[in-house]
Amino acid sequence: MIQRVLDAIDERLGTAHFVSHALRKAFPDHWSFMLGEINVYAFLVLVATGTFLALFFEPSAAKMTYAGPYTLLDGASVSQAYASALDLSFVVNGGLFVRQVHHWAALLFIAGIALHMGRIFFTGAFRKPRELNWVVGLSLLAFALLAGFSGYSLPDDLLSGTGLRIFDSVVLSIPFAGAWLSSLLLDGSFPSDRMIPRLFVAHVYLIPAVIAALIGLHVAMVWRQKHTQFRTPGRSERHVVGSPLFPNYTVKSLALMFAVVAVTFALGALVQINPVWLWGPYDPSKVISPAQPDWYIGWVEGALRMGPPFALHLWGHTIPSPFWPAVLLPSLIFAVLFAWPWIEARVSGDRARHELLDRPRDNPLRTAVGVAMVVFATGLTLAASDDVQARYAHVPVTALTRLYQMFCIFAPPAAFVLTWLLANDLRSRSGSGKAPRVRLRRNAQGGFDEEALP
Amino acid sequence: MSGKERLVAAGFAASIVGAALFVVAYATGNSRLLEGLSLAFAAACLSAALTGWFAWILPDDQVVDEYETWSESSRHAQDVNLHVGTREIARSGVLLRLFAVACGCFGVAALVPLRSLGPELGTSLFSTKWRRGSRVVRADGTLVRKDDLNVNSFETVFPEGAAGDARSQTMLIRLPEDADGSAAGYIAYSKVCTHAGCPVALYRAQARQLLCPCHQSVFDVADNGRVVSGPADHALPRLPIEIAPGGYLRARGDFPEPIGPGFWERA
C-alpha cells in the first residue's frame, strides 16, 4: 500500500531518488544525540495540548463576577481570562489534565533545549560547517523563552500579573525607547486591558509559527550536513556511520516520542503545577510571597534580586537599576553565545571543517568557558529563590543575597581554572584524545603495514 | 513468534488497553488522575514496545554515508553568473538606487501603523490620580478617618473616585507618634516599588521598614522612604497628607515625583 502511494507520488513529483537515499540515511548512535529530538516531541505535545486549551481560553481582561464550582472565589470580580482558566481546571472534562501537561511540557521543552545546547557546545559540534545551525538553535532557545513567559502570563492570576509588572519595569528601563516600547506593547501604562489579548496573539500565533519554522530549518540543516559523530574506530571526517533512518532510527525515534508523551502526561496527571485558583485573580495592589517564576526565567529574576542599586543619571535622563541585570546582562550573554563559533575559531585559529566531535577534555579552553557559564547561570537561578531558602535556613535574606553575589563573581572564574586544569590533566593522561592518523599499505607478504601520518 | 516478539506484542496490547481505559475514564467522570495516567500508560507501553522492537528484534544495521563537501566549480559558476546579472542591472545605476530607496520607503511606510499600538506617552508616567484635596479611601471606596487605623498598622489606600487604580495605590501607615511631615501620626508612601513595580506590601512595624516581596528592596519609613537594602535605586515617593475638618484624611497634592520604577525620561 505504502509502496503504491510512494510510486504514485514519484510518477508525479520524481521523489523516488530522494526517498531512496533518505530511507538509508545514516544516523550515528549516541544517547546524547537524542536530546534535540526530545524538544521536537515536547513541541508537538505543546502544540496539541495548546490547541485544546485555546479552544476554551478567553483572552479578555473584561471583568465578570465569578460563579463557578470553585466556591472560595464565589462572587469575586475576575477577568474573563482568569475565569476561563478556572473553568479549564474545574469544568472542562480533561481540561486540568491538559493544562498541566501543557505547562510540564513547556518546562521540559526548555530544559531539553538547554541540555541539547550543552551537548553541542561541549563537543564542539557548532564548528564549521555548522555555525549557522548553532545560530538557529540559539534563536530557538530565545523564542522558547518568549513562548514560555508569554504563556505563563496569560491566565491573569496574581503570579502572572506580578511577572508582567516586572517585565514592564524591565522594558521601561531601556534607554531612549523604554517608555515608548512599554506604551506600544501595553497600549498605555501598566496594567492595561489590551495586555492579555496581545499576549494571546503572541503566544498562540506569532511565537509558535516562528518556532515551527526554525525547527524546520534546524532539522533541514542537520539533514543536509549530516550528523556529527564521536571519534571512535571506523569513523572519519569523510564518512558518517550510523543506523539507517528506516527502519532502525524511525523505530528508535518513535519510541522516544512516546516516552516524551508518557513522561509529560504522567507529570500532568500526578504532579500539580501552577494551581492558579490558589494564587487568586490579579490585583495590582496585591502580591504573594514567596513568588518565583518558572525555572527558565529564574536566572533573570536572580540577577534582578542581586543587581546593583545603581541608576545612571545623564543630562536629565535616567538609566534605572533593572537595566543592568535584566537587559544588559542577558544581551551580553546571548551576544557571546551567538558569536561563540567565530570567537573560538579566532582564538584557536582553527577554521577547518569538523565532522568528528571533541570530547570535553580535548578543548580545555572551551570546556572551561562552558563550565564557568553554567556555574554563573546556576548562581543566578539559585538567587531567584533566596527568600524561600532564607525562610528554611533561618538566615536573613540580605545575607543570602550577598552570598550569591559573591558566588556569581568568584565561583565562575574558580570553575574556569579548575576545569581547565582538570581537562588538561585528563588529556595528558589519555593521550591527545585523537586517534593517530595512519595509512595502511598492503605489503608483499599479503599483510598490512602502518604508515603514520602527521 | 519468539519470546522477545511476544514481549513486544504484549507492550502493544497493553497500550491498547490503556487507550481503552482512557475512554472509560473520560466517559465516567472528570478525573485528572485517571485520564492522565491511562494515556500516560498507553504512551509508555508504546514507547517500551518500540524500544524492545529496535533493541531486540531489528538487526543491528549500520550504514555509511559520505560527508559532502561541495565543489569549488559550482561556487565559481555561481560567482560568474552573479557577476553577469549584476553587470546587467548596474547598467542602469539610477534605477537600482531608486529601487533601493523605494523599497526602504515602502518598508518604513508599512511599519508606521505600529504606531497605533499605543497612545502618545504624554505625562501618564509622571502623575497619578492624587490631587490636592483628594480624600483617602480604601480599596472598597470607604473614606479613612483619623481614628480608623490602629497604631503600627497600615492600609492600602487610593484617592477618592479612583479606588483600585494601580498607579495611585498608596501605603498609609500609622506611626506611634507624629514624625517629621506626618499628619496625626499618619504617613503615606507610594505602594509601587521603585525597583520593578511590585506592590511594596510588607510593613515591619518594629523597624519601620517597608519591604517589597519580589526582589527584597527595603525602604525606611522614618527617613523619607530611603532605600535601606536591596536593588531599588531610589526612595519611595511620599504622599503629602493632612487631616481635613471632620477627621478625614486627604492629600495635599500628587506625589512630588514620578512613582514606580525609573525610566529614561525621568530626571
Side-chain angles (χ1 to χ4, degrees), chain A residues 122 358-371 414-433:
Chain A
F122 286 110
D358 282 338
R359 287 177 304 173
R361 71 185 66 168
D362 296 334
N363 192 322
L365 179 73
R366 175 203 302 145
T367 304
V369 168
V371 170
F416 178 92
V417 173
L418 268 177
T419 310
W420 196 80
L421 291 173
L422 194 65
N424 270 310
D425 187 51
L426 281 171
R427 191 162 66 154
S428 62
R429 275 168 204 236
S430 58
S432 70

Side-chain angles (χ1 to χ4, degrees), chain B residues 241-258:
Chain B
I241 52 171
E242 62 187 4
I243 311 291
Y248 294 104
L249 269 69
R250 72 180 179 200
R252 288 191 284 119
D254 198 356
F255 291 97
E257 55 181 315

Side-chain angles (χ1 to χ4, degrees), chain A residues 224-293:
Chain A
R224 174 77 171 144
Q225 297 177 325
K226 302 195 174 78
H227 207 286
T228 50
Q229 54 190 343
F230 280 108
R231 193 186 301 275
T232 47
R235 269 70 169 173
S236 77
E237 296 279 7
R238 299 170 56 96
H239 296 97
V240 52
V241 182
S243 305
L245 177 64
F246 185 79
N248 299 54
Y249 204 79
T250 306
V251 176
K252 190 173 174 179
S253 190
L254 280 176
L256 180 64
M257 179 178 92
F258 284 112
V260 170
V261 171
V263 167
T264 51
F265 280 27
L267 283 169
L270 292 170
V271 191
Q272 186 183 63
I273 189 160
N274 202 21
V276 288
W277 55 94
L278 294 182
W279 314 148
Y282 181 55
D283 174 339
S285 68
K286 295 199 174 109
V287 65
I288 45 177
S289 176
Q292 264 78 40

Side-chain angles (χ1 to χ4, degrees), chain B residues 130-202:
Chain B
W130 289 101
R131 295 287 172 270
R132 187 192 171 93
S134 298
R135 289 198 288 184
V136 173
V137 299
R138 299 178 183 85
D140 61 8
T142 55
L143 290 165
V144 179
R145 297 171 58 115
K146 80 170 164 40
D147 300 324
D148 286 356
L149 264 69
N150 291 327
V151 166
N152 280 337
S153 71
F154 66 92
E155 178 99 52
T156 303
V157 297
F158 301 90
E160 193 177 12
D165 181 58
R167 292 181 49 79
S168 306
Q169 54 176 307
T170 299
M171 282 292 263
L172 180 70
I173 298 161
R174 187 167 184 190
L175 301 172
E177 72 287 318
D178 221 5
D180 175 37
S182 70
Y186 283 97
I187 197 161
Y189 286 97
S190 167
K191 197 180 173 180
V192 186
C193 185
T194 60
H195 173 235
C198 290
V200 187
L202 300 174

Side-chain angles (χ1 to χ4, degrees), chain A residues 93 169 227 242 255 285 318 321, chain B residues 35 47 63 67 191 196 233 266:
Chain A
N93 193 353
S169 303
H227 207 286
S285 68
T318 303
S321 53
Chain B
E35 288 172 352
S47 178
V63 286
Y67 286 119
K191 197 180 173 180
D233 62 47
R266 191 183 194 279

Side-chain angles (χ1 to χ4, degrees), chain A residues 170 173-174 322-335:
Chain A
V170 170
S173 77
I174 298 170
F323 176 75
W324 321 114
V327 180
L328 189 64
L329 180 74
S331 305
L332 283 176
I333 290 176
F334 265 89

